[in-house]
Amino acid sequence: MMVGSLSLMTWRQREFLSGLGWSPTHRNPIQWPSILLLGPDGWIVGLTFVTCGLLVILFSAFVFRSDRGRLIRAASIMLGATGVVLTLLAIPPVPRAAVQWASLHDLIYPLLPLAWIASAVLLSLGIGSNETWRTVRNVSVALLVMFLFSLLLTGVPQIAQLARNFAFGAQLAWLSLLSIAFAARASSDTPSGLSRR
């Protein structure tokens, strides 16, 4: 949903983005997708953030109720925090030329990767050792490494936006993997051995 909506809004607002000198690869004063909130269809982007954030919060509640392991429950709480931050990111950024202080959007954004990293680490530590969840853990670790590497590359101005896209991709892939795994668990009549502790 998020990928489709943001891709469509990027295409619809291409003239607006072009007028601001936005690039899909290098760093800009306001990065994508936040910059889409300032365009003529910004309300649609904001609605996308709110909808996806609420879905993540609902999913975190499902994860919390599905397992009594301490680490899994802690991971679900951090996942819920990720959803809250994603919802609040619907608040548009303020161009720095307009104010001397950081916008609320800018203050909230760093919490998104922090909450996601905490959730991924706690889940990887907390899940059990059967084959299904071992695969989830291994892919989670791989995506976490990809995310952290991409995050480091955002410090290179020439490829900052491109690196951010890979970082976002890792987060979305992890959420998709997790939702598929929990859906399969919910539809199964056999215990999954999710929790290790």
Side-chain angles (χ1 to χ4, degrees), residues 95-163:
R96 292 196 180 275
V99 290
Q100 295 300 314
W101 57 88
S103 69
L104 185 57
H105 183 97
D106 293 339
L107 294 173
I108 293 169
Y109 173 75
L111 300 176
L112 184 65
L114 292 176
W116 181 78
I117 290 169
S119 181
V121 168
L122 288 167
L123 182 85
S124 297
L125 291 174
I127 58 180
S129 58
N130 71 29
E131 184 175 348
T132 299
W133 292 103
R134 187 165 54 245
T135 301
V136 171
R137 182 177 61 239
N138 292 342
V139 175
S140 295
V141 170
L143 289 172
L144 185 57
V145 170
M146 174 184 167
F147 174 79
L148 292 173
F149 182 67
S150 299
L151 209 58
L152 286 175
L153 290 179
T154 61
V156 182
Q158 293 80 3
I159 59 168
Q161 183 59 63
L162 186 62

Side-chain angles (χ1 to χ4, degrees), residues 165 192-193:
N165 293 341
S192 69

Side-chain angles (χ1 to χ4, degrees), residues 59 62-63 66 123 127 132-133 135-137 140 173-188 192 194:
F59 179 58
F62 171 75
V63 174
S66 70
L123 182 85
I127 58 180
T132 299
W133 292 103
T135 301
V136 171
R137 182 177 61 239
S140 295
W174 183 75
L175 283 170
S176 299
L177 165 76
L178 203 57
S179 60
I180 291 169
F182 272 93
R185 180 189 185 209
S187 64
S188 173
S192 69
L194 171 62

Side-chain angles (χ1 to χ4, degrees), residues 11-26:
W11 180 80
R12 279 180 54 90
Q13 301 190 125
R14 61 192 181 280
E15 291 184 10
F16 165 76
L17 294 173
S18 177
L20 293 178
W22 177 80
S23 166
T25 55
H26 69 255

